[in-house]
């Protein structure tokens, strides 16, 4: 446990936020090709004060729900878990919601996996 505390205290918050924003932007760049998709980096005001990538789209043009995207990512190979607030009501942590909202917690991705 002491090693974990030492590791945590040694972290550079600014460097970590820079890395998380870089991961979010890398994913967002791949999504630009999908019609009506909009992305933005969002830091929740309540919990997990780290950058998340929010993806929204016009559900009349992109015929799927955020929940369906989450389910397919979970069942894929490799398995990818995205924020459970995806496709639902706004989360208590301050994350936006909506059927056409996908929330990606890039801080949980391992380096090199974005």
């Amino acid at each position: 446990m002491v090693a974990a505390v030492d590791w945590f205290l040694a972290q550079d918050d600014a460097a970590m936020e820079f890395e998380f924003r870089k991961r979010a932007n890398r994913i967002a760049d791949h999504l630009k090709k999908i019609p009506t998709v909009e992305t933005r980096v969002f830091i929740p005001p309540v919990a997990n004060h780290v950058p998340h990538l929010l993806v929204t789209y016009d559900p009349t043009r992109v015929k799927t729900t955020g929940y369906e995207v989450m389910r397919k990512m979970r069942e894929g190979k490799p398995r990818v878990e995205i924020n459970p607030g995806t496709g639902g009501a706004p989360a208590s942590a301050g994350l936006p919601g909506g059927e056409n909202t996908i929330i990606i917690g890039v801080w949980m991705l391992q380096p090199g996996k974005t």
Side-chain angles (χ1 to χ4, degrees), residues 68-102:
E68 183 66 16
V69 170
M70 181 173 63
R71 187 185 65 74
K72 287 180 179 180
M73 297 288 287
R74 183 179 288 153
E75 294 172 356
K77 301 243 189 283
R79 181 176 190 248
V80 176
E81 191 67 34
I82 56 180
N83 189 288
T86 291
S92 61
L95 289 168
E99 191 173 273
N100 65 327
T101 301
I102 300 165

Side-chain angles (χ1 to χ4, degrees), residues 18-36:
F18 178 80
E19 174 60 28
F20 297 151
R21 286 180 181 276
K22 190 167 86 174
R23 293 176 191 182
N25 288 328
R26 192 173 310 129
I27 295 168
D29 284 345
H30 289 286
L31 298 174
K32 287 180 182 177
K33 299 171 189 157
I34 303 171
T36 77

Side-chain angles (χ1 to χ4, degrees), residues 4-94:
V5 171
D6 288 343
W7 174 86
F8 178 76
L9 293 174
Q11 298 308 300
D12 178 341
D13 289 345
M16 288 174 63
E17 181 173 337
F18 178 80
E19 174 60 28
F20 297 151
R21 286 180 181 276
K22 190 167 86 174
R23 293 176 191 182
N25 288 328
R26 192 173 310 129
I27 295 168
D29 284 345
H30 289 286
L31 298 174
K32 287 180 182 177
K33 299 171 189 157
I34 303 171
T36 77
V37 166
E38 294 182 13
T39 61
R40 73 179 171 106
V41 175
F42 178 81
I43 299 177
V46 179
N48 292 331
H49 296 280
V50 294
H52 287 66
L53 179 64
L54 297 180
V55 181
T56 57
Y57 55 90
D58 179 350
T60 65
R61 302 259 327 264
V62 179
K63 305 287 188 183
T64 192
T65 64
Y67 181 80
E68 183 66 16
V69 170
M70 181 173 63
R71 187 185 65 74
K72 287 180 179 180
M73 297 288 287
R74 183 179 288 153
E75 294 172 356
K77 301 243 189 283
R79 181 176 190 248
V80 176
E81 191 67 34
I82 56 180
N83 189 288
T86 291
S92 61

